[in-house]
Amino acid sequence: MRNASYREDYDRLPQAIIAIGNEYPANHVVQPHSHRRSQLLYSASGMMRVTTEHGAWMVPPERAVWLPAGELHSVQLTMGPLTTSSVYILPDAAPGLPTTCQVVGMWPLMRCLLLEAIDVPLSYDPPSRDGLVMALLLQELRRLKPVLPPSLPFPRDEKLGAICNRMLEQPSAHDTIDHVRSELGMSRRAFTRLFRVETGMSFAAWRQQACLFAAMPRLATGEAVTTVALELGYESPAAFTSMFKRMLGAPPSRYFQSIGAPLRGGSEG
């Protein structure tokens, strides 16, 4: 089903797994919502940011995001337009599937099955060919493996969470512990301890991930590494590229080639 929004009555369908396709314009935002079924959300092109109560994930092209049943989430297109394929699975249909939100890799068979599945009627007969396609898709879901995109856990502390959300929208390499801890009225030691307890990361690592969140959509649409790096507060393009490679395992040019979104002319790295 293409261009169909998820409806609450889909939760009551007896089929263990159903699929829906959709198309979204650039910069579209899907407001916070949840559903009783778990969801695998995939797009062959475009880039999206998925945000839950627990954190945020950047989902590049040719990757998918897994959302467990009941997870409140929103989706923001950061590079679009976006053509998506989503499968929705009853929670007890396939034991062993992930229980936390994560970005996962795709493989050729899964891509083909997702494209086929969105044309399967919601009320398919399990013994039919359509049912066999969906059964194979359900089996392939067991092969989901997390990949390494930028992800940001959110603190539960209300005041710290508000600051982190603000930093996520306007990150800068110039943000320091002293800037933030003074705003909270905390000592450096107390802030460092609180931040790691709340996020599981150091402040420096979290800040770098926030910068990656801001940089990736811009790089993927052709902005030069020099421009992005300097606007994010890095001293030089080389310093930004070094951070990018350390966090994602490859410099910007090779990283985007590996996900099928090669950088356009005028980008270094």
Side-chain angles (χ1 to χ4, degrees):
M1 295 180 64
R2 180 63 70 187
N3 290 329
S5 299
Y6 191 88
R7 304 200 315 254
E8 288 187 9
D9 59 321
Y10 292 170
D11 288 338
R12 296 190 291 272
L13 291 171
Q15 284 76 9
I17 177 172
I18 60 175
I20 293 173
N22 220 321
E23 296 179 353
Y24 299 103
N27 303 315
H28 182 76
V29 176
V30 179
Q31 297 299 325
H33 66 286
S34 64
H35 22 74
R36 190 170 72 88
R37 293 173 180 258
S38 298
Q39 179 185 9
L40 181 73
L41 173 61
Y42 165 75
S43 175
S45 62
M47 186 176 295
M48 52 189 165
R49 188 175 88 190
V50 176
T51 304
T52 76
E53 295 174 305
H54 306 104
W57 289 260
M58 187 64 71
V59 188
E62 295 293 348
R63 300 289 190 266
V65 61
W66 172 261
L67 292 153
E71 185 80 64
L72 184 68
H73 61 282
S74 62
V75 181
Q76 178 181 356
L77 276 64
T78 57
M79 185 187 90
L82 201 69
T83 300
T84 65
S85 300
S86 285
V87 292
Y88 298 89
I89 306 98
L90 290 174
D92 57 353
L97 290 176
T99 58
T100 59
C101 184
Q102 55 190 257
V103 176
V104 295
M106 289 286 100
W107 55 99
L109 178 57
M110 177 61 96
R111 293 190 190 100
C112 292
L113 286 170
L114 287 171
L115 290 175
E116 188 73 19
I118 61 175
D119 291 326
V120 171
L122 295 178
S123 57
Y124 63 86
D125 185 13
S128 68
R129 176 189 178 276
D130 287 339
L132 294 175
V133 168
M134 303 305 280
L136 179 56
L137 178 54
L138 190 59
Q139 287 296 318
E140 285 295 297
L141 285 170
R142 299 177 188 274
R143 296 181 57 198
L144 292 177
K145 294 186 183 301
V147 293
L148 188 65
S151 61
L152 281 172
F154 285 164
R156 294 180 180 274
D157 182 89
E158 185 175 348
K159 292 182 179 179
L160 181 58
I163 292 174
C164 286
N165 274 292
R166 188 184 70 212
M167 289 175 59
L168 178 58
E169 296 305 319
Q170 293 184 315
S172 170
H174 294 307
D175 290 328
T176 67
I177 288 178
D178 287 335
H179 287 146
V180 181
R181 65 98 181 163
S182 61
E183 187 173 343
L184 293 172
M186 301 178 68
S187 69
R188 185 182 182 90
R189 182 176 180 181
F191 172 81
T192 300
R193 186 187 306 115
L194 174 67
F195 197 91
R196 188 172 288 279
V197 168
E198 289 283 321
T199 66
M201 302 174 68
S202 69
F203 176 81
W206 198 98
R207 181 191 61 204
Q208 288 177 340
Q209 292 283 55
C211 286
L212 282 177
F213 264 59
M216 289 182 69
R218 297 176 62 182
L219 295 174
T221 54
E223 286 197 54
V225 170
T226 297
T227 302
V228 174
L230 296 181
E231 288 186 3
L232 286 174
Y234 283 85
E235 295 181 359
S236 67
F240 171 82
T241 297
S242 177
M243 180 277 294
F244 192 104
K245 182 177 180 181
R246 185 172 63 255
M247 301 298 284
L248 293 178
S253 58
R254 281 184 21 216
Y255 176 82
F256 284 101
Q257 287 171 357
S258 73
I259 62 173
L263 294 179
R264 301 175 185 173
S267 296
E268 305 88 352

